[in-house]
Amino acid sequence: MKIHPLLLALLLVPAVHASPAEHDHTGTPSHSLTISGAVKAPGELDLAAIKKLAPKNTGPMNVICASGQLKGKADNYRGVLLTDVLDSVVIDQKAHKDDRRMVIVARATDGYTVTFSWSELYNTEIGKQVLVAWEKDGKPLEPGEGQLLLISGKDIKTGPRHVRWLDRIEVVRMP
Ligand SMILES: Nc1nc2c(c(=O)[nH]1)N[C@H]1C(S)=C(S)[C@@H](COP(=O)(O)O)O[C@H]1N2
Ligand SMILES: [Mo]
C-alpha cells in the first residue's frame, strides 16, 4: 500500500511529541568508568573493580524530571558512593584549601553531563546518597539505563542527576 507523504507526516507528528528530544534514549550502555583530571591515580575502573568498593542500597526512589513529571520508580538501587570511587583514585589536593576548588563532572556515553562540587559531595548530606549503581530491584540495570548509572538520592528533582550510561568522571581544579 502506498501512503501519501502528507498523511505519513501527520501520522509521525504525535510520535515526535510523545518522545521529546531530551528523553531520547540514543546512548549506548557503559562498561567502565574512566576517571581523569586532578586525581593521583587516573585510569579506568571496570564493573568488577567498582563492585570491590563498599556497596550501599538507596531504598525506594522515584526519578522525577525537572518538569515535575515522574519518569521512573525503584524499590532499590545498589551501588557504591561516588566519594568512595573518588577516594580510590585519590583527589590530588595540593594544599589544605585546595579541595574546595574541585568540581566533579560526570558524563555518559551520549554526552549527557552533570556536575557536583567537592564541598557538596564531602561536606553535605547530598554526598552520602550519590551512588554509582549497577543494580535496580535486585537485577542488573537494563541496557537503557546502565550498566552504570549515577544517582543523587537527596536531590529535590532526582531526574537531572540520574545519569544513564555513566562512563566518565573528571575532577576539575578551578583556577
Ligand atoms: N545519559 C543520559 N542520562 C539522562 C538523560 C539523558 O538524556 N542522557 N536525561 C535525564 C533526564 S532529563 C531525566 S528526567 C532522567 C529520567 O529520564 P528518562 O526517563 O529519559 O530516563 O534521566 C536523566 N538522565
Ligand atoms: Mo528530565
Side-chain angles (χ1 to χ4, degrees):
M1 187 181 84
K2 215 168 166 279
I3 301 178
H4 192 277
L6 196 63
L7 180 61
L8 187 65
L10 280 171
L11 286 170
L12 285 172
V13 165
V16 168
H17 279 276
S19 155
E22 66 266 29
H23 291 282
D24 271 355
H25 285 214
T26 52
T28 53
S30 52
H31 300 291
S32 66
L33 194 52
T34 299
I35 308 179
S36 64
V39 295
K40 289 192 171 151
E44 196 175 332
L45 297 177
D46 63 12
L47 189 55
I50 292 168
K51 282 182 173 173
K52 282 192 188 133
L53 304 170
K56 299 244 182 311
N57 298 306
T58 59
M61 228 191 89
N62 291 339
V63 180
I64 301 163
C65 180
S67 68
Q69 201 187 338
L70 178 66
K71 301 295 291 184
K73 273 176 175 290
D75 292 326
N76 187 53
Y77 286 105
R78 188 166 175 79
V80 293
L81 285 171
L82 178 58
T83 51
D84 283 348
V85 173
L86 292 169
D87 290 348
S88 78
V89 295
V90 190
I91 290 184
D92 185 18
Q93 185 180 348
K94 303 253 190 247
H96 173 62
K97 300 178 191 173
D98 201 25
D99 47 12
R100 61 216 66 173
R101 306 175 84 90
M102 306 290 183
V103 173
I104 289 86
V105 185
R107 293 184 201 273
T109 58
D110 63 338
Y112 190 71
T113 300
V114 305
T115 59
F116 296 88
S117 67
W118 178 92
S119 299
E120 183 183 17
L121 287 179
Y122 284 92
N123 202 19
T124 80
E125 292 295 319
I126 292 175
K128 293 180 186 163
Q129 294 210 20
V130 179
L131 293 193
V132 174
W134 58 80
E135 200 179 290
K136 179 181 175 179
D137 298 340
K139 286 183 247 133
L141 290 164
E142 308 253 326
E145 231 180 354
Q147 63 175 323
L148 289 170
L149 166 77
L150 179 128
I151 37 173
S152 182
K154 274 262 189 323
D155 288 5
I156 295 169
K157 303 278 173 64
T158 46
R161 292 199 292 193
H162 160 276
V163 181
R164 296 184 252 114
W165 317 307
L166 175 74
D167 75 335
R168 280 176 291 160
I169 301 283
E170 193 179 343
V171 179
V172 180
R173 176 187 284 105
M174 294 303 290

